[in-house]
Amino acid sequence: MANTKSLVIIGSGPGGYVAAVRAAQLGLKVTVIEKNGLGGVCLQHGCIPTKSILHSARVYNTVRNASSYGINCSEIGFDFYTIMKRKDDMVALNEKGIANLIEKHKIKIIRGEARLLSPNRIEITAQNGLTSEIDADYIIIATGSSSTIPSFIPADRERIFDSEGALLLQSLPESLIILGGGVLGCEFASFFNALGSEVTIVEQLQTILPGWDQDICRTVASSFRKRGIIVKTGARVVDVQSTNESGDVTVSLESGEKVSAKCCLVAFGRTPNIENIGLEIAGIKLWNGKFRGIQVNEFLQTNVPSIYAIGDVTGIRQLAHVASHQGITAVEHMCGKATPMIYDEIPDCYYGEPECASIGLTEQEALESKNEIAKSKIFYRSFGITHVLGETDGFVKVIAEKESGKVLGVHICGHDAPVMISEASVIVANGLTVDDIGEVIHPHPTLGEILMEGIQAVRGMNIHG
């Protein structure tokens, strides 16, 4: 035990706590420093609470349409307070689960704020202001990210707020402007619209869900408009003001147009938490233009060999599942089990209505990088199970190399897309071809048959299309 290496992890988010557990499994002496709640932003203010409220909205919508399933319901409504309380309960339940994992693996938790003093020493400031120091053979920085709010926006957390503020609302806003049409902005738009708020999305780029396959972008935008969500793309925000007299928030656009609502949610993305953690003292380099955040190699190692960085703080891909895998990669590298990170085949998920998921190249990217492609687009409504579920809107799109049949990308828009993308992830990440998958029998009746049919259609064997 005298030669046991020590590891200190700053942050307990999906990168930090997963890295801690894996490190303990590999025999390292592990300490985690956390200044807030276990689970980081993902658990406390991100993935879990947002999916909780979205699921409540989905249940509400199902109940409102219960008669189509032969179910009689009366006095249909919702309790906003209970929706938000359930969200808090889900956070608490999951935080307890992480605490149990940490205890099970004999990982030490220190509550406080960490700052690097050298490549192997950390200063910890407790909540009572007292400081202490700790040494470690290795350090992992997993400090996450914070909402990006431009200086000209006077966020007051009451009428102008970020996603964290939105999750603290005690009542449903009558109307809401959402600045940013990415995944986060669109998920909140879907939630508030489902409960009856008047929602306007303002996006600077020419499409919502930028970076996604255009078929998905168009479908989600069309769905939003049908549901009464106003979508303004190509619209640059130049000013945001909260007026006490009217109680409204007014957003001014570069075009001269003004949009007003009772509240404004800022969803402009996230900024890596790199301030005041001692990066300069330890000599750690930041990216120079490629990303925003701490520069790392394919094993998440910084330019200082004893220090690694994982998750949002690296600025590479700000996704919880990426952070977790980065944490495992970093720990295994320091233990001599080197497997580099590969970022080309990472699934993206959108949990609004309609649900969407994507893996690999979009059609536009495939056309730019390949000579010839083969593609298929199979619609949900062609399969019996979607009618049984009452979920007939949606499609699965498969993109492959024409000559080899290698699957380059899969894009799903419709019910349970985030679940269905897992099979597609295995296909794309392993470089499988449509012939490799074409003989795999999928159970009937399931949504998985739609992906199978998309694969078959690329092979020229489309049955339902």
Side-chain angles (χ1 to χ4, degrees):
M1 293 297 291
N3 294 323
T4 299
K5 296 288 186 179
S6 61
L7 167 66
V8 171
I9 302 173
I10 306 173
S12 68
Y17 88 80
V18 169
V21 170
R22 183 61 182 138
Q25 291 173 342
L26 292 175
L28 296 181
K29 179 183 178 183
V30 186
T31 299
V32 174
I33 303 171
E34 175 57 62
K35 66 177 182 178
N36 297 313
L38 295 177
V41 170
C42 174
L43 174 55
Q44 300 292 332
H45 314 295
C47 310
I48 298 303
T50 56
K51 299 332 168 252
S52 174
I53 63 174
L54 282 165
H55 186 66
S56 291
R58 188 165 290 113
V59 171
Y60 174 55
N61 186 63
T62 300
V63 173
R64 284 196 298 174
N65 294 284
S67 60
S68 65
Y69 299 91
I71 308 298
N72 296 321
C73 297
S74 59
E75 299 182 12
I76 299 171
F78 66 86
D79 184 325
F80 190 79
Y81 172 81
T82 303
I83 289 174
M84 302 306 269
K85 183 181 182 303
R86 181 179 185 274
K87 170 260 300 179
D88 294 336
D89 292 342
M90 294 300 101
V91 171
L93 179 67
N94 281 270
E95 186 171 4
K96 183 178 180 180
I98 294 174
N100 289 340
L101 269 177
I102 288 173
E103 181 180 359
K104 174 184 175 182
H105 289 89
K106 296 179 173 56
I107 298 164
K108 183 179 180 180
I109 287 286
I110 298 177
R111 300 286 183 168
E113 194 163 351
R115 186 171 70 97
L116 298 170
L117 297 178
S118 76
N120 299 97
R121 173 162 286 205
I122 297 172
E123 178 187 72
I124 305 166
T125 303
Q127 292 180 341
N128 61 8
L130 296 177
T131 62
S132 59
E133 296 180 7
I134 183 173
D135 293 321
D137 295 299
Y138 299 105
I139 296 170
I140 292 179
I141 302 171
T143 49
S145 62
S146 301
S147 296
T148 301
I149 302 181
S151 58
F152 69 85
I153 298 180
D156 57 16
R157 296 185 67 84
E158 291 184 9
R159 286 187 289 178
I160 304 173
F161 42 76
D162 60 5
S163 58
E164 183 176 342
L167 291 168
L168 296 175
L169 290 174
Q170 297 298 304
S171 60
L172 181 71
E174 175 186 329
S175 55
L176 177 70
I177 300 169
I178 298 178
L179 305 183
V183 168
L184 185 63
C186 287
E187 285 186 347
F188 273 108
S190 188
F191 168 71
F192 284 111
N193 168 261
L195 298 188
S197 296
E198 296 178 5
V199 179
T200 300
I201 297 176
V202 177
E203 169 56 52
Q204 181 173 335
L205 299 180
Q206 296 302 317
T207 178
I208 59 172
L209 298 179
W212 288 63
D213 189 89
Q214 285 302 303
D215 277 348
I216 285 181
C217 299
R218 284 190 289 264
T219 301
V220 173
S222 176
S223 173
F224 277 5
R225 293 188 177 101
K226 289 177 182 177
R227 291 158 55 192
I229 298 174
I230 298 173
V231 179
K232 295 181 179 294
T233 54
R236 182 172 176 269
V237 177
V238 295
D239 189 43
V240 178
Q241 294 294 329
S242 177
T243 306
N244 291 328
E245 291 76 11
S246 65
D248 287 345
V249 176
T250 300
V251 175
S252 299
L253 306 181
E254 190 175 48
S255 63
E257 182 182 2
K258 295 181 183 293
V259 185
S260 296
K262 294 300 180 184
C263 295
C264 178
L265 166 59
V266 183
F268 279 153
R270 302 189 65 81
T271 301
N273 292 328
I274 57 176
E275 301 295 330
N276 303 317
I277 59 173
L279 297 183
E280 301 85 356
I281 298 173
I284 295 175
K285 293 182 179 179
L286 302 180
W287 293 108
N288 184 20
K290 186 176 183 181
F291 302 109
R292 290 187 303 168
I294 297 174
Q295 181 179 331
V296 293
N297 63 18
E298 66 271 31
F299 302 106
L300 291 310
Q301 192 174 33
T302 70
N303 61 295
V304 179
S306 61
I307 300 178
Y308 294 69
I310 62 175
D312 286 6
V313 77
T314 68
I316 300 174
R317 291 293 301 274
Q318 294 183 331
L319 296 167
H321 43 286
V322 172
S324 295
H325 199 81
Q326 287 177 328
I328 292 171
T329 298
V331 167
E332 292 188 344
H333 182 256
M334 64 183 67
C335 292
K337 302 176 181 293
T339 303
M341 278 290 300
I342 300 175
Y343 296 97
D344 294 336
E345 296 95 15
I346 294 172
D348 285 290
C349 297
Y350 164 71
Y351 291 84
E353 187 64 40
E355 293 177 298
C356 304
S358 179
I359 177 76
L361 299 180
T362 66
E363 181 178 350
Q364 296 74 29
E365 291 169 338
L367 288 171
E368 291 171 0
S369 63
K370 303 294 177 182
N371 291 326
E372 288 188 274
I373 65 169
K375 67 175 182 176
S376 66
K377 188 176 180 182
I378 304 298
F379 293 92
Y380 271 46
R381 61 176 177 266
S382 299
F383 295 80
I385 189 62
T386 67
H387 294 270
V388 171
L389 297 173
E391 299 286 356
T392 56
D393 292 335
F395 63 85
V396 171
K397 182 176 182 179
V398 177
I399 302 165
E401 287 182 344
K402 188 170 185 178
E403 183 175 350
S404 68
K406 178 183 176 181
V407 180
L408 303 173
V410 176
H411 309 279
I412 306 173
C413 183
H415 182 67
D416 261 1
V419 176
M420 294 170 64
I421 203 65
S422 291
E423 180 183 4
S425 298
V426 173
I427 295 170
V428 174
N430 285 280
L432 301 181
T433 69
V434 291
D435 289 335
D436 291 330
I437 307 302
E439 301 303 322
V440 177
I441 298 174
H442 288 61
H444 173 78
T446 64
L447 294 175
E449 292 177 281
I450 312 176
L451 175 58
M452 175 193 70
E453 191 74 17
I455 295 289
Q456 298 288 35
V458 173
R459 301 175 78 205
M461 299 173 57
N462 186 2
I463 304 298
H464 291 87

